[in-house]
């Protein structure tokens, strides 16, 4: 199935595996790439040396194109861009709008630039700055998300920009791919669906928690870092939501202390990182600290398997997923479902 996305990224199928922190490492990315989709390496939770090694490992595992996701507001974003260029990644994906300078540097080196956005105005901005395509995530998506559903946001963005649009938020099978194409998208991006594969490095016990979840077990909360964050509802999330400012600050300090030991950051550095995530929002001091160590909360669950101490970002589709296929099987099945759906629609003529 050839689309503007497959031509742009050099992939066989119009499917993107999103860059999920602590999840989208070399193993998952290379398996996705070998399956003919676009695997995106998550670099926000990596040091520069770890990112360099991860890119090299993906290159050793596969000759297929892959991408790297990074935060545009990171202090070392320029260094990460150079690693992407030197490492031979095909695509640079951004969680926040990259500057025109970063876009120009990447494009000059032949790297495809695909920022992720959650609003039409953001898509228009990065398109005007020279982005090659855009991933637009509706409110159904996991992690930090917006209020507008994909079925409303996607056609808005498709009509507003003249670059390929990739749909994210609420996709898990071939029927969704055909629906996105009908709206005018060039492909779909999936996070939770790739997290729940046999190639995902997430501990089996954590995957079991996702598989047991219903649609109603996936919630949006501001209690973790002050921003809308879609995740599985757990006792920790409920406790954070119940906590007053004093208790919330105490919990935040304890968790921040653990993250500081792991990351080597000083307290002032952590506070600066937390403040950088505010994006103009009014956050309490506990939320500032939690914003700084949200990666630690994610790591506790996604790496250590401690669902009692961590959070589990999740799209609403977790409530309708009940198996753990390999990436190859998932992509093959999604494309077969898409073809069957198209044939069924053609028969309605």
């Amino acid at each position: 199935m050839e689309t503007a996305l497959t031509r742009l990224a050099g992939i066989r199928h119009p499917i993107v595996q999103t860059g999920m922190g602590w999840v989208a490492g070399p193993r998952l990315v290379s398996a996705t790439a070998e399956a003919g989709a676009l695997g995106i390496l998550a670099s926000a939770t990596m040091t520069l040396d770890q990112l360099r090694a991860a890119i090299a490992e993906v290159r050793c595992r596969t000759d297929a194109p892959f991408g790297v996701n990074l935060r545009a507001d990171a202090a070392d974003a320029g260094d990460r861009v150079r690693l992407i260029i030197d490492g031979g990644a095909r695509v640079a994906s951004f969680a926040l709008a990259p500057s025109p300078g970063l876009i120009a540097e990447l494009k000059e080196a032949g790297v495809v630039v695909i920022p992720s956005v959650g609003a039409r105005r953001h898509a228009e901005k990065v398109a005007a700055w020279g982005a090659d395509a855009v991933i637009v995530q509706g409110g159904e998506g996991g992690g930090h998300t917006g209020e507008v559903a994909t079925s409303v946001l996607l056609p808005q963005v498709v009509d507003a920009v003249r670059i390929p649009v990739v749909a994210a938020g609420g996709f898990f099978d071939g029927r969704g791919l055909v629906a996105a194409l009908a709206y005018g998208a060039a492909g779909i991006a999936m996070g939770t669906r790739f997290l729940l594969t046999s190639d995902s490095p997430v501990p089996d016990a954590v995957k079991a928690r996702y598989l047991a979840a219903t649609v109603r077990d996936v919630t949006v909360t501001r209690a973790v870092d002050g921003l809308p964050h879609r995740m599985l509802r757990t006792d920790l999330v409920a406790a954070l939501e119940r906590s007053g400012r004093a208790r919330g600050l105490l919990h935040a300090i304890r968790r921040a202390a653990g993250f500081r030991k792991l990351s080597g950051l000083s307290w002032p550095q952590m506070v600066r990182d937390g403040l950088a995530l505010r994006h103009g929002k009014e956050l309490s001091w506990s939320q500032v600290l939690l914003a700084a160590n949200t990666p630690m909360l994610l790591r506790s669950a996604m790496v250590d398997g401690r669902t009692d101490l961590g959070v589990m970002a999740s799209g609403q589709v977790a409530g309708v997923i009940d198996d753990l296929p390999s990436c190859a099987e998932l992509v093959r099945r999604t494309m077969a479902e898409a073809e069957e759906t198209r044939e069924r629609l053609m028969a309605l003529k």
Side-chain angles (χ1 to χ4, degrees):
M1 185 184 291
E2 184 176 317
T3 71
L5 172 65
T6 62
R7 292 189 293 270
L8 184 65
I11 54 180
R12 299 197 306 274
H13 308 300
I15 299 173
V16 177
Q17 162 253 301
T18 60
M20 300 165 281
W22 306 115
V23 178
R27 173 177 153 188
L28 181 62
V29 171
S30 58
T32 301
E34 282 291 285
L38 179 63
I40 297 182
L41 193 66
S43 80
T45 53
M46 299 179 184
T47 65
L48 288 174
D49 287 341
Q50 288 170 339
L51 175 57
R52 183 182 294 106
I55 292 174
E57 184 176 345
V58 175
R59 289 293 303 273
C60 286
R61 287 171 174 259
T62 181
D63 293 327
F66 67 96
V68 177
N69 177 265
L70 63 157
R71 279 183 47 180
D73 63 345
D76 58 359
D79 294 330
R80 292 174 184 270
V81 163
R82 283 183 284 279
L83 286 180
I84 290 172
I85 294 171
D86 295 342
R90 172 80 173 193
V91 172
S93 163
F94 288 88
L96 298 170
S99 67
L102 287 180
I103 293 176
E105 182 178 356
L106 286 160
K107 293 187 66 172
E108 185 176 350
V111 179
V112 176
V113 179
I114 309 181
S116 296
V117 301
R120 180 179 65 181
R121 68 182 185 279
H122 298 152
E124 292 171 332
K125 178 171 68 175
V126 296
W129 288 350
D132 296 294
V134 65
I135 296 175
V136 54
Q137 178 180 305
E140 300 93 323
H144 291 118
T145 193
E147 299 177 350
V148 182
T150 304
S151 58
V152 176
L153 181 59
L154 177 58
Q156 279 189 320
V157 175
V158 168
D159 291 344
V161 300
R162 295 292 173 264
I163 57 176
V165 176
V166 181
F171 297 100
F172 64 99
D173 65 4
R175 295 171 299 175
L177 173 55
V178 173
L181 296 175
Y183 274 118
I188 58 172
M190 301 187 291
T192 304
R193 178 63 277 195
F194 276 100
L195 184 155
L196 293 174
T197 61
S198 60
D199 294 304
S200 163
V202 173
D204 290 343
V206 177
K207 291 179 182 178
R209 288 288 299 272
Y210 278 95
L211 293 177
T214 68
V215 173
R216 296 178 64 85
D217 293 324
V218 186
T219 187
V220 175
T221 181
R222 291 178 179 268
V224 172
D225 56 16
L227 303 173
H229 205 137
R230 186 176 290 284
M231 59 186 64
L232 292 189
R233 179 172 290 283
T234 62
D235 290 342
L236 173 62
V237 172
L240 289 173
E241 290 179 335
R242 289 193 305 267
S243 295
R245 284 181 175 259
R247 285 185 63 194
L249 181 59
L250 180 60
H251 284 305
I253 290 173
R254 286 174 177 169
R255 292 187 177 89
F259 179 54
R260 191 174 72 86
K261 286 183 179 179
L262 181 69
S263 65
L265 294 174
S266 66
W267 284 107
Q269 286 174 314
M270 287 187 60
V271 171
R272 282 197 299 271
D273 285 351
L275 291 171
L277 291 172
R278 293 176 70 175
H279 303 301
K281 302 292 192 301
E282 291 296 326
L283 303 186
S284 66
W285 279 109
S286 61
Q287 288 170 329
V288 168
L289 285 175
L290 283 171
N293 71 10
T294 295
M296 181 62 168
L297 294 175
L298 289 166
R299 185 187 189 279
S300 292
M302 312 313 279
V303 177
D304 301 332
R306 294 297 304 272
T307 57
D308 56 328
L309 298 178
V311 297
M312 292 174 281
S314 177
Q316 282 185 304
V317 297
V320 295
I321 293 173
D322 59 7
D323 65 347
L324 297 170
S326 66
C327 288
E329 181 183 350
L330 172 61
V331 171
R332 187 166 52 245
R333 185 171 72 193
T334 299
M335 295 311 301
E337 290 168 345
E339 291 298 338
E340 291 170 4
T341 302
R342 289 206 304 178
E343 291 174 4
R344 186 169 65 251
L345 292 174
M346 292 295 291
L348 296 177
K349 288 186 176 182

